[in-house]
Amino acid sequence: MQHFINVILPIPLEKLFTYSVTRAEANFLKVGMRVAVPFGKSKIHTALVAEIHGTAPTLYEAKDIHQILDDEPIVTELQIKHWSWVAKYYMCSIGEVFRSAVPGAFLLESETLILKNSETTVDENTLTDEEFLVFEALERQSMLKVQEIAAIVDKKNVLPILKRLLDKNVILTKEEVYQQYKPKLVRYVKLGPKYQTEEELSALLDSLSRAPKQSNVILSLFQLQGTNHKKITVKELEEKSKSSVAIIKALIDKEILEEFFVRTDRVVFDSTKKTKQLKELNQYQANALQAIKSSFKENKVTLLHGVTSSGKTEVYVQLIADYLAKGQQALYLLPEIALTTQLIARLQNYFGEYVAVFHSKYTVNERVEVWNNVLANKSKAQIVIGARSALFLPFSNLGLIIVDEEHEASFKQYDPAPRYHARDSAIVLANFSNCNILLGSATPSIETYYNVKQKKYGYAQITRRYGNVLMPEVELVDIKELTRKKRMKGHFSERLLRGITEAVQEKEQVILFQNRRGYAPIVECTTCGHSPQCPNCDVSLTYHQYKKQMRCHYCSYHMALQKSCLACGMSTLNTKGFGTEQVEQELQELMPNLRIGRMDLDTTRGKHAYEKIITSFEKHELDVLVGTQMLTKGLDFGNVSLVGIMNADNLLNFPDFRAHERSYQLLAQVSGRAGRAQKRGKVLIQTYNPYHQILQQVSTNDYEAMYTDQINERRLFKYPPLHRILKITFKHRDYGKVEDASAWFAKSLRVAFKDDVLGPEFPAVARIRNLYLKNVVLKIKKEQPLGKTKDYIKKIEKSFNAIGQFKGVRVIYNVDYI
Ligand code: ADP
Ligand code: ZN
């Protein structure tokens, strides 16, 4: 009998690919192990074994595998089942799920890799068409092989192109090795074997009396070791004795000291810290916990709807403790890495070293470690906190999933595929793993609340803040009036400035929210009306004062700020609109003594950048924190008494069916940062439109009213949760091609789906990185079989791909787009 394996390749293939293996290999291999396989002309890929069987493929001759890479599976069968669901539901290949689910170090390939040089910003205008193609592909995929690049530019010899890109600092090359993951070895020292007895030791110290530096090192080692003989690292010794590596090395060479290495995890928790008792829940929290538990008994997805600062986290903690006691794993999903900082600290307080963290700011090696710990079901990774990708870890004994801030849009992955929603995919995972799942929010998504109303989901509620602190008092400040009467100082109303002054006098802190970063989104010449645009994208350049630059927020393009108008030459440049940078600066000028910090994409780039800002605000080294929506999400600061919203209108006027829901959530969440500890907080919302229904609902904290309005509109206009929506985006460098391709596709869809097809339409930003975009939206009735609908669309895509004229147009599916 012949033996075969079907494997998942980390590339967008429709089907699994079959390879032939020997009998011994077939006996050794298990589903979930990696194999290196040849694919295409000369490429070697890392593939994942999905099936082992005896049926030869009919359409091609199965090649032999190159080599087996694992002794044991690194992926579970349950994961493969879940990934298949993700691929099918979100209309991508399982290979794409595989690629994004595992840490990059698991996908080892045997060639020179081309990487983007993230150190330089590239002026796309200096690239030739071919160079641009390579550059663009590297934006989507972090690494490419030379062969893949050859396919992209459709040329055999791509070395000249790569050489030019190297010269322009656009790319880097890297020789790939088979095992990228390097266990971290820590260097320790101890006394050499010759110096174990007291006599030997005093002899040694005598002999060193003329080498004070060296004897100092030995004495420091004694001190560090203390009585319990703990292991001392070279680094500790170096610091303690204030000596140099050279001196320590000399001692090692003389065999007075002996070095040894121990493999350690990169992510370690200080296990000397004592954990704390769980907090006792108040009556409202206890009731909610009861409601959750009884809903879990019925195996229902459950929503914990608790107002901001009602103590939802403490309820989660109690639940986690239950599952931990049963020896089960718990996954705690958060929408934003920024949030993990505070949560890690909170959970480690209770659960110490059981807590592991997994997210994209961790290095590849750190992620491999967490992966392996979860796979081995180690206690040190029994509780995993993570952003959406933590969903794909190899859990084997999952008992509980918590999706905190479930309403957050950032749970949906936008680019690249799989464009999955982590909350929804978590619900499916919970179902597959027979585990419980709790969604939590103060402002649930319309989708989730609808499911509660339909009795599909269970429900628990906390309507009061912990400690009976009142909900913050919301005051709407009409800046239209004030602007007319010229009573604004820059973008600040007197009311807001007074609020800030009072809070700071009381030694309280303030959060200011503005939904744009940079100084001003538009620079305009008041003489001719020209405003600088990005050459690659259809947007105005945002002015960043700190760097004295105009920057595109969609690509890496930037240029120095001009002194005079590029079109007419007059120096009548004026800014329009304002971002966080301007808020910070204006306030600093108005109140020079204020200590102001800023949290937005520009200030949080490094791995620990969030942590630094959050910690310094927590420590009250700052009076005011200005930020974008990053700071609206679940942060818990005890001393904030005032939240100011600089301008609510640009949120409300956003052209999207979710704009009102979003605005409510955002405003309610950012308001919820005020007055969490003792005193009632205050929220000042500056707006041109104080009678807007959403602002009224926010100020009366009336979620129900907002929900009712929104669900009625969604019903009327056929939007989720009553219909499903699928967005198909067409992308190409050529405007005409995008026009024709999207029109053809929409027409084909209309044959079957008639009025449920919208578009094609250009999005608000219709060109990004020199690629034109056009969208077609399909509304799918709930009762319409989803699988069939998708198959039908895929069929249309097949015919589409056969049309020569549309060659090169990218077709991107976004199911349940947000
Ligand atoms: P939410 O997640 O609902 O916004 P948190 O869980 O952050 O609320 O709780 C708000 C604050 O109240 C936190 O500082 C938390 O430590 C405190 N708190 C909540 N519940 C309790 C409790 N049962 N005992 C003591 N403090 C609590
Ligand atoms: Zn741009």
Side-chain angles (χ1 to χ4, degrees), residues 308-309 313 338-339 341-343 346 465 469 508-512 598-599 609-643 669-679 681:
T308 52
S309 201
T313 317
L339 283 183
T341 309
Q342 279 196 339
L343 190 76
R346 269 175 93 168
R465 293 192 135 189
V469 181
E508 292 157 356
Q509 289 168 290
V510 179
I511 283 179
L512 293 178
R598 174 155 63 89
M599 186 157 113
Y610 288 113
E611 222 170 298
K612 279 196 192 131
I613 299 174
I614 291 173
T615 315
S616 91
F617 195 57
E618 273 172 347
K619 286 197 191 146
H620 207 157
E621 294 164 4
L622 300 167
D623 303 305
V624 179
L625 189 58
V626 179
T628 53
Q629 49 181 317
M630 225 177 243
L631 54 71
T632 64
K633 297 173 192 174
L635 292 168
D636 183 32
F637 299 115
N639 191 38
V640 173
S641 66
L642 174 69
V643 166
Q669 291 286 348
V670 70
S671 304
R673 303 311 115 214
R676 292 173 71 85
Q678 280 132 32
K679 209 172 112 180

Side-chain angles (χ1 to χ4, degrees), residues 534 536-537 552 554-555 557:
C534 176
N536 312 314
C537 313
C552 173
Y554 289 83
C555 73
Y557 182 82

Side-chain angles (χ1 to χ4, degrees), residues 334-351:
L334 281 162
E336 181 95 45
I337 301 167
L339 283 183
T340 54
T341 309
Q342 279 196 339
L343 190 76
I344 295 163
R346 269 175 93 168
L347 292 197
Q348 281 184 342
N349 258 332
Y350 300 128
F351 303 115

Side-chain angles (χ1 to χ4, degrees), residues 132-309:
F132 176 80
L133 282 175
V134 177
F135 172 72
E136 199 241 332
L138 283 172
E139 292 287 333
R140 289 200 307 272
Q141 219 165 307
S142 56
M143 295 180 194
L144 287 171
K145 275 157 283 163
V146 176
Q147 300 291 332
E148 287 172 321
I149 291 180
I152 289 167
V153 297
D154 205 10
K155 257 195 179 168
K156 273 217 184 89
N157 184 4
V158 291
L159 295 181
I161 301 177
L162 294 178
K163 166 102 181 28
R164 289 200 303 269
L165 286 169
L166 275 170
D167 291 344
K168 291 180 185 173
N169 279 329
V170 176
I171 58 168
L172 301 170
T173 62
K174 184 171 166 185
E175 262 332 300
E176 188 59 64
V177 283
Y178 261 94
Q179 194 54 277
Q180 218 184 32
Y181 168 66
K182 292 192 197 72
K184 185 174 166 192
L185 293 176
V186 175
R187 216 167 125 220
Y188 290 91
V189 272
K190 60 183 179 194
L191 274 181
K194 283 189 230 151
Y195 307 98
Q196 297 302 327
T197 65
E198 297 235 341
E199 297 86 64
E200 288 165 342
L201 270 177
S202 51
L204 169 66
L205 288 174
D206 284 346
S207 76
L208 287 179
S209 58
R210 285 208 206 108
K213 282 184 183 164
Q214 295 190 357
S215 67
N216 182 32
V217 170
I218 304 295
L219 290 172
S220 301
L221 183 68
F222 292 162
Q223 278 177 12
L224 282 170
Q225 276 177 331
T227 44
N228 56 2
H229 289 272
K230 85 180 188 37
K231 289 199 297 261
I232 309 301
T233 64
V234 173
K235 202 162 154 236
E236 279 174 306
L237 184 59
E238 194 190 328
E239 279 165 11
K240 176 82 185 176
S241 63
K242 300 200 176 59
S243 68
S244 66
V245 182
I247 293 171
I248 296 174
K249 182 161 183 304
L251 286 166
I252 292 171
D253 290 344
K254 284 198 211 164
E255 294 183 6
I256 295 172
L257 292 180
E258 187 183 14
E259 63 179 341
F260 61 106
F261 294 87
V262 176
R263 196 182 141 167
T264 56
D265 275 0
R266 285 179 169 73
V267 190
V268 278
F269 172 76
D270 178 1
S271 57
T272 55
K273 273 200 206 158
K274 273 237 158 48
T275 56
K276 288 197 187 128
Q277 287 274 306
L278 304 196
K279 294 196 168 110
E280 198 175 320
L281 299 184
N282 69 19
Q283 167 206 338
Y284 306 100
Q285 289 171 313
N287 289 346
L289 184 62
Q290 269 317 309
I292 294 166
K293 283 185 177 167
S294 61
S295 166
F296 277 178
K297 285 218 177 83
E298 297 173 52
N299 287 322
K300 272 187 169 174
V301 178
T302 305
L303 169 68
L304 173 58
H305 184 188
V307 296
T308 52
S309 201

